[in-house]
Amino acid sequence: MFKKLALAALAIGLISAPAAAQDYPTRPISYILHVSPGGATDIMARKIALGLEKSLGTPVPVENKAGGRGAAQLADINKSAPDGYTIGSVTSTHIGAFNQTLKQYNVDSFDWIARLVNEPYLLVVNKDSKLNSMKDLVEAANDKPGSVVMAGFVRGSGGHFAWEIMAQSANLESSKVRWIPYDSVGDAVTATVGGHAEVAIAYVDLVKNQVEAGNLRVIAVMADERVPQFPDAQTFKEQGYDADTSWQQMRGIIGPKGMPKDVKNKLAEAVKAVLETPELQTYMKESSLTPAFQGPAEFTEFAHQQDMITKEWMTRLSMH
């Protein structure tokens, strides 16, 4: 009798699961970010959230849980039910944290729903800085180690590794530049505008208004070609430095481990549709973001590849 009841319950579960996914979503979806308001990740996430609200027909409130390199954000995601009603931002920085300060998590601790874009890193300086190129920065750092103060996201973040790649391409000991970590790239840019740092490592969308206002200047772009927003800013290659332009910031969406496959796919398809809207296409173009959508399977594989590269850099920098 018990066996018959168990089989019946299993059959009901198998029948009802697709229906539940088909009806999804029936209530708001929380979109939890690891950064403070105003940064590049925050700006794009809010645009994605608005698009998802329209396509899925449910509110997608954005919550900022900055600090601890994503500790608060990841804890909230990790403890949430894997039902598709809690999602979160993810960048290259998370993968660095998995290998350093947040070792209680790893790539397999979460479901990887969709990759959104990649974006090149660049160096900007305060308007009063005498640095006009990477060569100037290298010379200043070599002449007086510690005299150049650079603001960026936390140590072990994607931006930090980008700086290490930049320094390596110039045969510069990265420690000769004083790295100041902030809770978000937006905070690092604000500090540089305010004169608390001379240089910041950031992205196009986050600095373009300050560059246009004359508060910041771009001295180098880690991309194969110049970005259209700053046509006068030379790439590292143009300045004679062979920096690896394949290392770019990644932005994506994750969720709690164990989400139903069809729910993940429905979310990913909705995200892809939002990215293809004219509004997002224009935003990405204006921000020099490289469209790089991947669904759950591809994104999961990509995350594992990034994890391997991160481990290599952390070993090289003795950061484990």
Side-chain angles (χ1 to χ4, degrees):
M1 180 69 178
F2 176 79
K3 185 176 181 181
K4 289 182 178 179
L5 288 173
L7 289 172
L10 177 61
I12 291 171
L14 291 172
I15 293 171
S16 61
Q22 185 178 355
D23 294 339
Y24 169 86
T26 58
R27 54 188 173 88
I29 300 170
S30 295
Y31 193 171
I32 307 174
L33 311 187
H34 65 292
V35 295
S36 305
T41 297
D42 176 77
I43 292 170
M44 184 167 190
R46 292 180 184 278
K47 292 181 180 294
I48 293 291
L50 286 174
L52 289 177
E53 288 184 359
K54 294 176 183 177
S55 63
L56 294 175
T58 193
V60 183
V62 173
E63 302 176 44
N64 295 89
K65 299 248 174 137
R69 295 189 61 183
Q73 177 222 27
L74 293 178
D76 274 10
I77 296 172
N78 188 253
K79 70 183 181 184
S80 297
D83 53 12
Y85 290 99
T86 301
I87 58 176
S89 59
V90 68
T91 67
S92 306
T93 295
H94 284 84
I95 297 176
F98 293 161
N99 290 283
Q100 191 179 17
T101 58
L102 298 177
K103 291 185 178 180
Q104 66 268 41
Y105 305 117
N106 56 51
V107 170
D108 294 321
S109 298
F110 302 91
D111 276 359
W112 297 75
I113 299 169
R115 187 175 74 174
L116 308 175
V117 295
N118 290 331
E119 55 188 322
Y121 291 100
L122 47 77
L123 292 176
V124 293
V125 295
N126 178 276
K127 63 180 180 180
D128 297 323
S129 173
K130 295 181 180 179
L131 306 179
N132 294 301
S133 65
M134 181 63 178
K135 181 181 178 182
D136 289 345
L137 189 158
V138 172
E139 290 179 349
N142 280 325
D143 289 345
K144 191 175 180 181
S147 62
V148 178
V149 178
M150 178 177 290
F153 201 10
V154 292
R155 184 170 165 79
S157 64
H160 175 225
F161 290 144
W163 162 239
E164 294 292 341
I165 292 170
M166 294 173 185
Q168 183 186 53
S169 73
N171 294 317
L172 172 68
E173 291 181 27
S174 60
S175 60
K176 289 184 177 181
V177 171
R178 185 182 169 200
W179 176 275
I180 304 296
Y182 286 85
D183 284 340
S184 74
V185 183
D187 291 338
V189 170
T190 299
T192 307
V193 171
H196 302 291
E198 185 174 6
V199 190
I201 188 161
Y203 327 111
V204 173
D205 189 50
L206 200 53
V207 302
K208 63 181 180 180
N209 290 339
Q210 296 291 355
V211 172
E212 290 171 359
N215 297 321
L216 295 173
R217 290 182 287 107
V218 183
I219 63 170
V221 179
M222 200 163 82
D224 292 328
E225 299 178 353
R226 297 189 186 191
V227 294
Q229 292 79 6
F230 311 128
D232 296 329
Q234 292 186 331
T235 65
F236 277 83
K237 185 176 181 180
E238 287 178 303
Q239 297 183 47
Y241 303 106
D242 189 24
D244 182 6
T245 57
S246 68
W247 182 261
Q248 298 191 1
Q249 176 70 301
M250 167 273 292
R251 296 189 206 162
I253 295 175
I254 56 173
K257 186 69 175 180
M259 294 174 59
K261 183 177 179 179
D262 41 7
V263 169
K264 281 194 294 185
N265 287 336
K266 187 169 185 178
L267 266 172
E269 289 168 5
V271 168
K272 183 180 180 182
V274 172
L275 291 172
E276 292 173 349
T277 61
E279 179 185 356
L280 264 293
Q281 289 285 312
T282 299
Y283 168 74
M284 289 188 287
K285 184 176 181 180
E286 291 177 347
S287 304
S288 283
L289 300 176
T290 304
F293 174 81
Q294 287 182 327
E298 287 181 311
F299 193 28
T300 301
E301 182 180 352
F302 171 83
H304 281 283
Q305 292 172 346
Q306 289 286 101
D307 190 46
M308 289 179 60
I309 295 171
T310 298
K311 282 180 168 64
E312 291 173 4
W313 266 105
M314 298 193 82
T315 298
R316 190 181 304 183
L317 299 171
S318 301
M319 292 177 61
H320 283 288

